Amino acid sequence: MIQQETTLQNVKKKVYMYVLPIGFIACAVDFVFGISIGASETVDRISSPVIGIWLLVSFILLLSNSPLFAKSEEGLFWLVGAYYNIKFYTFLAAQYTGRTEYIDGFALWMPLVFIILFLVFERTKALTFSWALLAVNVMGVVVFIIEGRLSLEKARTVLQLLLSHVSYVVFLSVMEKFKYIFFERSLLNKMAYTDYLTNLPNRRSIESTIDEQLQQSASSHQLWVVIFDIDHFKHINDVYGHQVGDTVLQQLAELVKRDLSEHEVVGRWGGEEFILVINNMDYTEMRKRIERLKQEIESHVFPVVSHVTASFGAALCFSENTTRDILKRADDALYAAKRNGRNQICVANEELLV
């Protein structure tokens, strides 16, 4: 769930990166044009600069990753929501004085209040606020229609406006539901194919990768599978504890990931075992690659335990091999490396390759 929330926050941030500066520009343009044409509405003279400044400050807080952005985000809703209601009731109040006022350009921006609601709050609270906001305005319109203060033309326009806002709220609510379904499925898919400790592809994912490589490759002799594990890892867990052992596994995963080429995939095979799938590499190149990785592991300083070593079993995929075949040959080569004293590389059928 933490990973899901982090992903959703990233999506929200990207939305705000576009919405906030656009909103600021709109407020600035509205304010400048309002002065140019001599707009006399107090709410217009005040609201545009206030909301514009708030949007600009929020954008700066967002860029600086300030924790205050959450407060400015919530404040933005109350500010825009207040403007929404004030403008709406300003229009209704004008009917009492007999002014021929129509809903102006602000109506184009009114749906933004509902978008902000669904960005700021979780779905249930956003729906509650949305329906409350609409109910307040609907009640006002109903009263004015009953009293005969609204002409049929204006009543028709206002009702169309409010009904369109109901549609926006329903649409946003459905999209919010789809959003969580999408991220929940993405999270489940990641959990199914990713090792929770090292964040590497897990055994299921690696087997699928090898299957795909075997099917796509016209000449499977370029495909290598290398299984390697940490020597005497049980001793590390027994002496220093499983937490230290987990840290060693995590750092080893990062060590291998940072040097991967586009032709390589690394995963956690299980326990202290890792697996490296290498494509488009001949024997000499593969050997140099694994020697370099072995030395990097050996020279790396791990917390508490300082240095560790690893043993490697490599197997070249022959044309008749299945995924199970090549995995068994790599696993047998790893055990041969351990029997021969550990901290070394053993290649299956090496006499045929040299």
Side-chain angles (χ1 to χ4, degrees), residues 34-54:
I35 293 176
S36 301
I37 64 176
S40 57
E41 283 283 353
T42 303
V43 64
D44 290 326
R45 292 199 306 270
I46 296 175
S47 62
S48 289
V50 170
I51 294 176
I53 292 171
W54 196 285

Side-chain angles (χ1 to χ4, degrees), residues 95 102 148-156:
Q95 313 310 310
Y102 288 84
R149 297 284 181 175
L150 282 178
S151 66
L152 288 177
E153 181 185 358
K154 289 184 179 180
R156 175 175 172 269

Side-chain angles (χ1 to χ4, degrees), residues 43-274:
V43 64
D44 290 326
R45 292 199 306 270
I46 296 175
S47 62
S48 289
V50 170
I51 294 176
I53 292 171
W54 196 285
L55 290 168
L56 180 60
V57 171
S58 297
F59 186 62
I60 293 171
L61 292 174
L62 178 67
L63 289 177
S64 61
N65 291 317
S66 171
L68 293 175
F69 176 73
K71 294 293 183 182
S72 71
E73 181 187 28
E74 189 168 336
L76 181 61
F77 157 67
W78 296 111
L79 193 61
V80 176
Y83 176 71
Y84 177 100
N85 274 315
I86 291 171
K87 283 293 290 183
F88 196 86
Y89 273 91
T90 298
F91 162 77
L92 292 179
Q95 313 310 310
Y96 269 108
T97 63
R99 290 161 53 191
T100 58
E101 183 169 326
Y102 288 84
I103 295 178
D104 56 17
F106 93 96
L108 300 174
W109 293 93
M110 288 172 72
L112 186 62
V113 70
F114 302 110
I115 296 173
I116 294 172
L117 262 173
F118 280 88
L119 283 173
V120 175
F121 301 107
E122 50 86 22
R123 182 171 177 267
T124 302
K125 186 177 288 188
L127 276 173
T128 301
F129 280 131
S130 296
W131 296 134
L133 201 60
L134 286 169
V136 168
N137 291 318
V138 168
M139 285 188 294
V141 172
V142 170
V143 169
F144 274 71
I145 291 176
I146 292 173
E147 293 184 354
R149 297 284 181 175
L150 282 178
S151 66
L152 288 177
E153 181 185 358
K154 289 184 179 180
R156 175 175 172 269
T157 301
V158 171
L159 289 174
Q160 286 290 334
L161 180 69
L162 290 175
L163 287 173
S164 71
H165 290 179
V166 170
S167 299
Y168 292 139
V169 172
V170 172
F171 174 77
L172 288 168
S173 175
V174 172
M175 291 306 297
E176 185 79 1
K177 188 68 175 177
F178 281 148
K179 179 185 72 175
Y180 274 96
I181 291 173
F182 170 77
F183 280 108
E184 283 173 2
R185 287 183 177 176
S186 297
L187 182 60
L188 288 173
N189 186 66
K190 183 177 181 181
M191 290 172 64
Y193 289 94
T194 305
D195 175 60
Y196 74 96
L197 180 65
T198 62
N199 209 31
L200 292 176
N202 61 15
R203 186 169 187 144
R204 177 186 298 168
S205 178
I206 289 294
E207 286 184 345
S208 177
T209 298
I210 296 173
D211 286 340
E212 291 174 5
Q213 293 283 0
L214 289 175
Q215 291 172 8
Q216 294 174 4
S217 178
S219 54
S220 59
H221 65 274
Q222 293 293 325
L223 181 66
W224 293 89
V225 170
V226 182
I227 300 178
F228 61 100
D229 73 1
I230 301 170
D231 295 327
H232 305 294
F233 186 73
K234 183 177 183 302
H235 176 76
I236 294 174
N237 280 334
D238 291 343
V239 174
Y240 302 104
H242 288 274
Q243 188 170 358
V244 172
D246 288 348
T247 301
V248 171
L249 293 174
Q250 289 169 334
Q251 288 203 3
L252 179 59
E254 291 300 320
L255 188 68
V256 180
K257 277 197 299 185
R258 73 186 185 190
D259 197 31
L260 285 180
S261 73
E262 61 179 338
H263 302 295
E264 300 172 351
V265 179
V266 67
R268 187 181 179 194
W269 195 237
E272 70 271 26
E273 288 187 339
F274 294 82

